[in-house]
């Protein structure tokens, strides 16, 4: 059987199906890999895509689900780094500003422009002049498109766009474009593209040991399948440590954690129903302590974040504390005084860990978000820091290092990065200019299949061009949905997730593939039992597995809802 034949254009992607975990492990062991990436967050996914599209043979493992670390817990903005401007870091503003355009063009289904309002007040951090000059520089440095350049709003215009913001001392606002994304879906789409190009990627595969040759050069990893408990040895010429907040743990395993190390900070977001926090305009505002906080509308919800506090707890399991909730409530109530939001209004919340590089004497929010590559004497390549926004460029830089090593050591020449103009999975609509007409076409198709306009619109944004596969699954599962007593659309998405996006546990589906546990908790309550029942049968879980996965989902629900 030749299971490496992957299909770029619509065939079933068998190597990214949870039904084929054993085959993926077999390939990872038998292929002689050029590069093995440890970590399937946005950093690892980007590296896998960059390397495989240069012609390298690539594998990727993650000990949890893909994007289960920081890459599903961010503010979900592809942003040009206004905060770097405040720190006078012009090079970074310019670089990330340009990158956000590329991220948008390559996946316009999952990333979209979002006009952001920056209100200014008498005696606030920024006055109108500073805001205007700052945003003007931002437009220039980030190469912002003409129709997306900043506009200054009067007090009246500001109140019209955001009627609930504090009026006392309000002088006006800067109005500029950022981009909103779904971080976990962005990660999955990048990874799916890497797999389409021939990479092998598997979740729930934990690196427990690093392997070395006689010269003490790193040559592979020992990996334990977290589902079966089976251990495998995977060899590769180059091992890349893209484990985000876990980077130092891997460096410790490699006995190379000298010099710089990580400084972890926690960031929390709270999610409210639009009924309690009606907001149609995203706002970036000064919190009561001078830090900047976002309030962003997202479908029927509004989310607010973030905090930035030193973190020393369990990296796998950051949770929202009472203090975090009080801080964000205070920030939001001081900006939107008529709301009087309380803890009871919080629908859900999530916490993430920033893998920052320690800088002595600096407060968490002052530490640079720049990325850095460390190469140990054994050859382990570690990458950390950085942002979701800059993932593609970070990946390019890491793979440039690897390509140089291959040239020097083996005389093999690989091309330069191919990802600047490469659509991610689902993004093949011919650029952002075509997205609206693509969406209209799909809505008509969805209506013909019997789907509502609202559902189809969400599906287009979630799956992009892969929505056609959801339509097919929807159509062919009509009888099965009745027999299995499960909502037809939920079934179609679940089957797609299992067969094409490596969904293995309910939390993969409810958190990373659909985002529902953070942004549509009622949908989770409504469908969780049907989803679990179906998954047990389809994936042949044991009773013990089912119990474990139900517990995991319930814990996540409890934590998110602050129960
Ligand atoms: P992760 O996503 O954490 O991935 C690391 C992966 O490695 C994990 O999935 C983990 O399971 C795996 N792993 C660890 N150890 C092992 C092992 N032994 N074996 C196998 N796998 C292993 N950036 C932006 O651009 N825009 C934003 O709006 C934004 N907002 C943010 C808000 C918050 C609160 C935070 C915390 C960050 C934010 N960021 C933002 C930054 C951005 O989210 C991160 O830079 C990015 O997600 C880091 O991705 P990563 O792949 O490096 O790490």
């Amino acid at each position: 059987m030749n299971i490496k034949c992957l299909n770029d254009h619509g065939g079933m992607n068998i190597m990214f199906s949870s039904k084929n975990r054993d085959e993926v492990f077999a390939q990872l062991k038998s292929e002689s890999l050029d590069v093995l990436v440890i970590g399937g967050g946005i950093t690892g996914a980007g590296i896998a895509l960059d390397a495989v599209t240069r012609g390298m043979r690539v594998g990727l493992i993650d000990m949890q689900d893909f994007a289960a670390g920081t890459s599903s817990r961010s503010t979900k903005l592809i942003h040009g780094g206004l905060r770097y401007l405040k720190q006078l870091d012009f090079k970074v503003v310019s670089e990330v500003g340009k990158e956000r355009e590329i991220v948008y063009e390559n996946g316009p289904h999952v990333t979209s422009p979002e006009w952001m309002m920056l209100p200014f007040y008498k005696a606030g951090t920024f006055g109108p002049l500073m805001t205007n000059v700052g945003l003007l520089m931002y437009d220039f440095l980030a190469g912002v498109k003409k129709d997306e350049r900043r506009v200054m709003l009067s007090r009246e215009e500001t109140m019209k766009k955001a009627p609930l913001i504090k009026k006392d001392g309000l002088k006006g606002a800067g109005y500029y474009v950022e981009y909103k994304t779904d971080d976990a879906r962005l990660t999955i789409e990048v990874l799916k593209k890497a797999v389409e190009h021939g990479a092998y990627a598997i979740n729930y595969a934990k690196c427990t040991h690093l392997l070395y040759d006689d010269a003490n050069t790193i040559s592979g990893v020992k990996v334990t399948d977290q589902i079966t408990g089976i251990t495998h040895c995977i060899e590769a010429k180059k091992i890349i440590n893209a484990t985000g907040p876990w980077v130092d743990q891997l460096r410790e395993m490699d006995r190379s954690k000298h010099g710089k190390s990580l400084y972890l900070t926690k960031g929390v977001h709270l999610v409210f129903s639009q009924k309690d926090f009606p907001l149609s305009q995203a706002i970036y505002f000064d919190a009561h302590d001078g830090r900047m906080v976002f309030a962003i509308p997202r479908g029927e919800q509004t989310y607010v974040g973030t905090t930035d506090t030193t973190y020393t707890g369990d990296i796998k399991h950051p949770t929202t504390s009472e203090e975090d909730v009080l801080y964000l409530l205070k920030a939001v109530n001081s900006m939107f005084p008529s709301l009087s939001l309380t803890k009871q209004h919080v629908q859900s919340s999530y916490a993430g860990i920033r893998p920052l590089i320690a800088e002595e004497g600096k407060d968490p929010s002052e530490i640079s978000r720049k990325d850095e590559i460390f190469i140990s004497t054994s050859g382990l390549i570690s990458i950390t820091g950085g942002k979701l926004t800059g993932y593609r460029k970070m990946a390019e830089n890491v793979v440039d290092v690897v390509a140089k090593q291959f040239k020097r050591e083996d005389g093999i020449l690989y091309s330069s990065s191919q990802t600047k103009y490469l659509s991610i999975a689902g993004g093949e609509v011919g650029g952002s200019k075509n997205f609206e007409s693509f969406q209209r076409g799909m809505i008509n198709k969805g209506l013909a299949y019997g789907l509502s306009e609202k559902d189809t619109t969400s599906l287009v944004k979630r799956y992009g061009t892969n929505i056609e596969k959801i339509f097919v699954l929807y159509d062919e599962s009509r009888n099965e949905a009745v027999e299995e007593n499960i909502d037809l659309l939920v079934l179609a998405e679940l089957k797609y997730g299992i067969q094409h996006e490596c969904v293995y546990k309910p939390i993969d589906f409810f958190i990373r593939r659909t985002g529902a546990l953070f942004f549509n908790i009622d949908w989770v309550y409504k469908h969780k039992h049907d989803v679990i029942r179906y998954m047990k049968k389809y994936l042949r879980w044991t009773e013990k597995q089912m119990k474990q996965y139900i517990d995991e989902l319930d814990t996540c629900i409890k934590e998110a809802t602050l129960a």
Side-chain angles (χ1 to χ4, degrees), residues 464-492:
T465 46
N466 285 315
I467 191 175
E468 303 258 17
K469 291 181 192 152
I470 301 277
F471 287 154
V472 171
L473 286 167
Y474 183 83
D475 205 35
E476 68 187 27
S477 305
R478 291 179 196 272
N479 291 340
E480 192 183 1
V482 175
E483 283 158 21
E484 300 291 340
N485 196 17
I486 182 168
D487 177 87
L488 177 55
L489 182 53
V490 172
L491 180 59

Side-chain angles (χ1 to χ4, degrees), residues 414-434:
Y414 286 103
S415 69
S416 55
S417 176
Q418 303 291 303
T419 56
K420 190 168 176 183
Y421 302 106
L422 180 74
S423 297
I424 59 172
E428 300 94 343
V429 294
S432 66
K433 64 179 188 310
N434 293 328

Side-chain angles (χ1 to χ4, degrees), residues 13 33 47 64 68 86 90 102 143 161 164 183 215 242 252 277 305 387-388 400 402 411 442 450 473:
N13 194 343
L33 295 175
I47 293 168
Q64 308 180 84
K86 209 171 157 186
F90 302 124
I102 299 172
K161 287 197 185 297
L164 297 181
D183 46 7
E252 254 163 32
F277 188 170
K387 305 278 290 171
L388 200 66
D400 277 349
V402 172
M442 287 303 117
L473 286 167

Side-chain angles (χ1 to χ4, degrees), residues 8 58 83 85 98 102 117 127 135 137 143-144 152 159 180 191 289 296-297 312 336 376 382 394 410 489 540 548 562:
D8 252 350
V58 176
R83 67 191 302 281
L85 195 58
K98 284 170 191 143
I102 299 172
M117 210 164 82
L135 291 176
M137 278 178 73
V144 175
M152 297 305 287
M159 289 191 308
K180 189 160 72 177
L191 206 44
D289 61 354
I296 305 171
T312 51
F336 302 88
S376 79
S382 300
M394 262 167 80
D410 305 331
L489 182 53
R540 303 202 177 130
Q548 181 195 331
L562 312 173

